[in-house]
Amino acid sequence: MAEENNVILHGTWASLFVKRVELALKIKGIAYEYVEEDLSNKSPHLLKYNPVLKKVLVLVHNDKPILEGFLILEYIDETWKTGPRILPQEPYERAIIHFWANYIDQHLLPSTAKLWKSTGEEQEKAQEEVLEKIRFVEEGIPEIQGNELGLLQILLVTTFGSHKAYEDVLGVKILVRENTPLLYLCVTSLNDLPAVKEICPPHDKLVSLLKIYWQIALESTTD
């Protein structure tokens, strides 16, 4: 049994992709060791387990590495049958969940990158694009609820749970109650869950890091 619980997660504390996996592990009640990686000085273990991409995140289960966020979440769900299911077993329901999960990662998150590389009118346009995509999410995803933690809820709370820190740094609203009331209430409710509170990065610490990130992003646009 001890061997079955030999789980190590290599990540960085502010990464929403790492937070997704941490939350999934907690939902399932899986004991794990967390290894904080310094991306400027990557550990030998990280380079060993991910020699191709040489980056986080990496889940190591019984000395076997699993890479990439969605693959890790599915692996967790299929390997540990105890605890609530993260993904539905019915194929069509599972396909719908996959579609919206991919939409968040492939369309919504890339649009937010424009907020970090713009100011003034350009940033206002970027904000409206982000708000529009968030409206698509609210209107399209099935059964937005804050009382359970499936894959969509994991993605929503790790993507938007720290929205106030991002808004404090960027000076623009990202999650607006009047724009997407159901999503706003869902994320607010999820943020109150004990498992979510355990993995949520400290607000002030996150703000300090995001200020540095924003400065770097703005400077990159002038190079």
Side-chain angles (χ1 to χ4, degrees):
M1 185 63 68
E3 183 183 4
E4 294 177 0
N5 288 327
N6 185 10
V7 178
I8 303 172
L9 176 63
H10 293 261
T12 54
W13 66 269
S15 167
L16 65 88
F17 302 102
V18 174
K19 295 303 176 186
R20 292 173 180 178
V21 175
E22 282 195 274
L23 187 50
L25 291 169
K26 289 185 179 295
I27 293 168
K28 288 286 192 177
I30 302 166
Y32 67 97
E33 176 187 351
Y34 175 73
V35 177
E36 176 72 18
E37 289 288 346
D38 178 357
L39 299 184
S40 63
N41 184 26
K42 299 170 184 176
S43 73
H45 284 100
L46 177 63
L47 299 177
K48 169 188 173 182
Y49 289 122
N50 193 359
V52 177
L53 299 178
K54 298 181 175 63
K55 65 178 184 178
V56 296
L57 63 113
V58 178
L59 184 77
V60 183
H61 180 212
N62 295 340
D63 207 39
K64 296 180 296 186
I66 305 95
L67 313 176
E68 300 300 327
F70 286 149
L71 295 179
I72 293 174
L73 293 172
E74 286 193 300
Y75 179 87
I76 290 171
D77 206 28
E78 295 300 327
T79 301
W80 287 275
K81 302 299 184 181
T82 57
R85 294 285 304 186
I86 295 173
L87 279 160
Q89 292 181 295
E90 199 279 321
Y92 180 74
E93 293 180 3
R94 196 180 185 98
I96 294 299
I97 296 297
H98 271 298
F99 172 83
W100 284 108
N102 286 329
Y103 180 84
I104 290 171
D105 273 12
Q106 296 178 13
H107 297 276
L108 174 57
L109 287 180
S111 71
T112 65
K114 299 177 184 178
L115 292 170
W116 296 96
K117 297 184 177 182
S118 60
T119 57
E121 291 184 5
E122 288 187 9
Q123 191 183 57
E124 290 177 6
K125 292 179 181 178
Q127 178 193 22
E128 184 51 42
E129 180 182 336
V130 170
L131 293 177
E132 182 181 23
K133 285 183 167 58
I134 294 175
R135 282 194 293 269
F136 288 158
V137 171
E138 166 146 324
E139 294 168 3
I141 64 176
E143 299 180 8
I144 301 179
Q145 298 180 27
N147 58 357
E148 61 181 41
L149 282 166
L151 178 62
L152 279 183
Q153 285 77 16
I154 290 172
L155 264 62
L156 292 177
V157 76
T158 51
T159 300
F160 299 110
S162 297
H163 68 95
K164 291 181 180 179
Y166 289 82
E167 292 169 352
D168 285 353
V169 173
L170 292 170
V172 299
K173 291 295 184 180
I174 297 171
L175 188 62
V176 184
R177 186 168 190 161
E178 292 73 20
N179 182 56
T180 49
L182 293 178
L183 183 57
Y184 183 92
L185 291 174
C186 171
V187 171
T188 300
S189 179
L190 290 171
N191 267 339
D192 285 335
L193 297 177
V196 175
K197 288 182 177 181
E198 288 179 21
I199 62 97
C200 184
H203 177 84
D204 292 345
K205 184 178 179 181
L206 184 58
V207 166
S208 297
L209 179 67
L210 292 176
K211 285 180 178 179
I212 297 172
Y213 176 81
W214 192 27
Q215 185 63 38
I216 293 172
L218 288 176
E219 289 174 355
S220 72
T221 64
T222 60
D223 291 342

